[in-house]
Structures are given as structure tokens and as C-alpha cells.
Amino acid sequence: MKKASIYGLTIEQLTSWLSDHGHKKSRALQVWDWLYRKRVTEFAGMTDVNQDCIQLLNENFVIQTLSQHIKQESADGTIKFLFKLQDGNLIETVMMRHKYGLSVCVTTQVGCNIGCSFCASGLLAKSRDLSSGEIVEQIMNVQLHLDQMGQDETVSHVVVMGIGEPFDNFENLLNFLKVIIDQKGLAIAARRITVSTSGLANKIYEFTDTQMQVNLAISLHAPNNELRTQIMKINRAIPIETLMESMKYYVEKTNRRITIEYILLKDVNDHKEEAEQLGDLLSVLSPKVYVNLIPYNPVDEHSQYQRSEHESVLAFYDTLKKKGINCKIRQEHGTDIDAACGQLRSKQIKKAEAQ
Ligand code: SAH
Ligand code: SF4
């Protein structure tokens, strides 16, 4: 059996694992500090941890399981990493620079079973969930890259918007969040983390009940069931009414604003009529709602969709504003390097198949 990454354990899990193996509690804190603050990549580098403990850790865990396959840098400072997992699968992670800090977009699954009609990630069915360690490792790899650059920068924001449906890998997602939020480690504030879902309503309730105060984004993309089912087949099982109820629950319980993601697809969902419907639909959540209007990143296999005209985007924005809904047009990052969800990975896989 391949050894798992130690990054997958929360501090509580590491503490109880070490104490089950005869080590005192404070040892876990020491190891944790080496992992997340001093950021060693080998157990042997934990110089004040006793040799018995180092040997035990070496026998049972590894720190790194991902290896860097490709790294692409964009003119705007965006970096896209393609990592190889231990089983040879490839996943994507993107680092973006903003005025407010530095964010990382992580992948949660190898492929995605939701299969939305516009998305490159859904082209390949899910072959497996990522472990929580593999998700934490993506952040750590980016952080280690920054450390190596010597610019004293840290990852300040995290978006769970890479390949996969995070709520279809719920337990590992929660573990991952606990690890990166932990004050004693990376200490990324919950309010600076956003999880995006295609709308698994049951999990939205569960997620709310964790009281983690992590932001939630919903991939809505259409204001009525007919259109949403056409674009996202998940809507057949979980229609908009069911989704809206779960969103209301999140907003009421957390008092946090919810983000609605809406990709603008030319002549499909970008008419004034849809903007008005969307405004009416979301008014029950207002002002605790925020619409992100997303320019579509064309995907070769989904040639039925094109990016909306600039005028349609502006008109859509104006209509929503007039309806009193907060919204913004998402700024794009790294379009010159296939930074859209799943694109680099699917291109690499196609290339490998063609060889
Ligand atoms: N599965 C989750 C999270 C990953 S997708 C979800 O669907 O929310 C993250 C976001 O990228 C979603 O809002 C998704 O709709 C969007 N997206 C997918 N393909 C895209 C494309 N080609 N162009 C623009 N946005 C895209
Ligand atoms: Fe999966 Fe999200 Fe892509 Fe839909 S948009 S196929 S849920 S990754």
C-alpha cells in the first residue's frame, strides 16, 4: 500500500494518532509547526523531533505525494500547475494574483460526474475522489513555490473551483478545510475561502451546519428549470426551488452572503428576459446575495456555446442592478494558459492519447 500524505490529518487526528503510538500530545504541535510554518518537505528535517518519532512518521506517512508535471505562467502573474498523483492521474491547481492577495484554486476529484454541458472537467467521468491530503498538498505546493521565489508571499485566499464537485467528496473537503483554517498551521481565514457547488442541496444544509463560516458559491447559470436542465443535467434531480430553499437556509443560519455564479452563454442565457427572471428569483435573498457574471471560456468539445457579446454582458449587468441585485463581471485570469477549469488537463490527456 502506498503511504498517505500527512497533510491529510487535522491536528486532532495527528494528536490522537501519535498518542495511540506512544507519543505525547505536544509532539503533534511540534510536527504541525514543521509542516505548515517551517514547511519542511522531509520528516528528517524536523530537527528537534526525536528519532523514534521521525522513524514512526517515515514508516507510516509521506509529506509529498504530488509531483509537478507542468507549470505555465501567464503574463498577468497567474500560474497554472498540472500535478501528477501517485497513481499517475493528472490534476490542475491555479494560483492567481489579486489586489487583495494571492488565491489558489484547488481540484477535489479526478474528473467530475455532474457532467455540465459547457464544462471541460465534466468531459471525463470521475475516476476517483482526491484525499484530503492531496487537496492540502496543492496549497502547500503553491506555498513552497512562493517560498522558493523568496518573495515572502503567502497564500491568503482559497477557492474550491477546480476540477470536480466538492460536495460529492464531502468528508475529505471538510478535513481539508479544517487543516488549512487551523490557527496553528496555515491559518487561512474561513471568510477568505470559497467553496463552489453545482447545487447538491442536501450537502448545502450539512455544510451550513458545520458552522465553519466558509463562503459558498452556487453555479446557477440559468434562472428557470427548463433552461437550467438544458445546461446542467443535475437540475433534473435538484430543481431550482429545492436549491433556493437550501440557499435560504445557508444565508439565514450563517448570515453570510451567498455568491451566484452565472456564465454568460451567447444567445442561450444572456437575454434581458433571463436577467429579469434572475433578479426576481434572487430578490428573496437580497441583499445577502451577489452575482458573479462569468465570461465563458470556450471549450473545443462544447462548440455549441460561445462567449456573450460585450453589449449583452453590460445589458445583463444593468438589468440585475436595476432589480437591486449586487453583481459584478468577473475579471479573467490566465486565459492565455488554459486557466479555465479542466482545460489544461483535458488537453494534456488528449495529447497523450494521440501519441
Ligand atoms: N463543480 C463545482 C466547482 C468546480 S467548477 C461547480 O460546478 O460549482 C467552478 C466554476 O467554473 C463553476 O461555476 C463552473 O460553472 C465554472 N466553469 C466551468 N466551465 C467553465 C468554462 N468553460 N468557462 C467559464 N466557467 C466555467
Ligand atoms: Fe463538474 Fe462543476 Fe464542471 Fe459541472 S461545472 S461538470 S459540476 S466541475
Side-chain angles (χ1 to χ4, degrees):
M1 245 247 334
K2 292 217 164 74
K3 288 182 251 177
S5 167
I6 196 164
Y7 289 136
L9 270 57
T10 62
I11 185 84
E12 289 78 20
Q13 289 165 338
L14 181 61
T15 307
S16 71
W17 190 90
L18 281 170
S19 98
D20 288 351
H21 290 78
H23 288 270
K24 53 181 197 277
K25 286 206 164 90
S26 58
R27 192 70 80 213
L29 275 177
Q30 222 180 342
V31 170
W32 194 263
D33 193 64
W34 279 107
L35 288 174
Y36 297 105
R37 298 256 175 94
K38 303 193 189 92
R39 297 195 275 275
V40 289
T41 51
E42 287 177 10
F43 293 118
M46 301 181 173
T47 47
D48 59 1
V49 175
N50 73 27
Q51 279 309 310
D52 286 357
C53 185
I54 294 212
Q55 196 183 335
L56 182 70
L57 292 173
N58 262 325
E59 281 164 8
N60 292 278
F61 299 101
V62 284
I63 299 183
Q64 301 271 352
T65 66
L66 305 187
S67 58
Q68 193 175 300
H69 189 64
I70 290 182
K71 188 176 90 190
Q72 287 188 342
E73 287 203 51
S74 162
D76 65 12
T78 302
I79 304 182
K80 181 143 196 168
F81 299 87
L82 201 63
F83 293 119
K84 196 179 239 169
L85 305 174
Q86 267 175 326
D87 60 10
N89 274 308
L90 298 174
I91 57 159
E92 294 176 15
T93 307
V94 184
M95 184 202 91
M96 288 158 288
R97 292 176 187 281
H98 313 268
K99 281 190 217 90
Y100 55 78
L102 213 142
S103 74
V104 175
C105 175
V106 295
T107 283
T108 52
Q109 299 180 313
V110 181
C112 182
N113 278 344
I114 309 290
C116 302
S117 63
F118 49 79
C119 175
S121 301
L123 286 169
L124 298 154
K126 178 181 97 172
S127 61
R128 74 172 174 89
D129 289 330
L130 293 195
S131 66
S132 54
E134 286 168 330
I135 312 176
V136 177
E137 263 190 81
Q138 295 172 58
I139 311 261
M140 290 308 294
N141 269 294
V142 174
Q143 186 58 59
L144 289 166
H145 167 79
L146 293 166
D147 294 345
Q148 275 163 13
M149 295 290 112
Q151 287 169 345
D152 203 19
E153 288 180 299
T154 49
V155 174
S156 59
H157 291 68
V158 171
V159 289
V160 185
M161 291 189 185
I163 301 165
E165 169 47 57
F167 283 177
D168 182 37
N169 186 12
F170 198 67
E171 293 308 318
N172 292 339
L173 171 78
L174 292 190
N175 242 50
F176 154 73
L177 293 172
K178 282 180 200 155
V179 171
I180 64 167
I181 290 171
D182 200 304
Q183 285 290 329
K184 297 175 284 298
L186 292 176
I188 300 176
R191 63 173 193 286
R192 293 181 168 176
I193 304 173
T194 304
V195 175
S196 172
T197 176
S198 58
L200 307 191
N202 290 344
K203 296 295 177 198
I204 295 175
Y205 289 102
E206 270 189 63
F207 187 66
T208 306
D209 290 341
T210 63
Q211 300 186 329
M212 276 182 147
Q213 292 292 314
V214 167
N215 301 302
L216 185 62
I218 308 287
S219 296
L220 193 65
H221 308 319
N224 63 63
N225 283 323
E226 195 188 340
L227 189 54
R228 190 160 190 267
T229 303
Q230 186 191 316
I231 302 176
M232 301 173 74
K233 59 182 192 225
I234 182 85
N235 194 68
R236 222 184 286 278
I238 309 168
I240 291 181
E241 297 73 29
T242 311
L243 188 52
M244 282 298 292
E245 284 306 313
S246 66
M247 282 156 56
K248 268 191 245 166
Y249 184 78
Y250 172 86
V251 168
E252 279 161 19
K253 286 273 160 160
T254 62
N255 202 28
R256 298 197 73 75
R257 195 169 65 172
I258 202 161
T259 302
I260 301 294
E261 290 161 286
Y262 196 101
I263 302 176
L264 286 161
L265 303 166
K266 186 178 174 191
D267 299 332
V268 176
N269 66 354
D270 65 348
H271 309 100
K272 187 164 189 214
E273 190 191 341
E274 278 107 27
E276 282 176 343
Q277 272 183 20
L278 184 64
D280 293 340
L281 178 75
L282 299 179
S283 61
V284 288
L285 298 171
S286 190
K288 292 276 173 192
V289 66
Y290 190 85
V291 179
N292 233 329
L293 295 172
I294 307 173
Y296 181 56
N297 255 305
V299 175
D300 292 347
E301 290 81 353
H302 301 314
S303 57
Q304 75 272 35
Y305 296 127
Q306 284 99 45
R307 185 177 276 233
S308 291
E309 303 290 346
H310 191 55
E311 297 75 53
S312 317
V313 177
L314 294 181
F316 203 96
Y317 174 89
D318 285 343
T319 308
L320 275 179
K321 280 273 179 191
K322 276 195 198 117
K323 289 256 173 200
I325 304 292
N326 299 312
C327 66
K328 80 161 196 235
I329 300 167
R330 184 187 283 173
Q331 219 203 324
E332 292 183 275
H333 292 271
T335 38
D336 53 329
I337 54 161
D338 299 319
C341 171
Q343 281 186 333
L344 180 61
R345 172 173 183 261
S346 72
K347 279 194 187 167
Q348 286 304 314
I349 291 173
K350 271 193 285 180
K351 216 156 89 182
E353 282 168 355
Q355 274 165 7

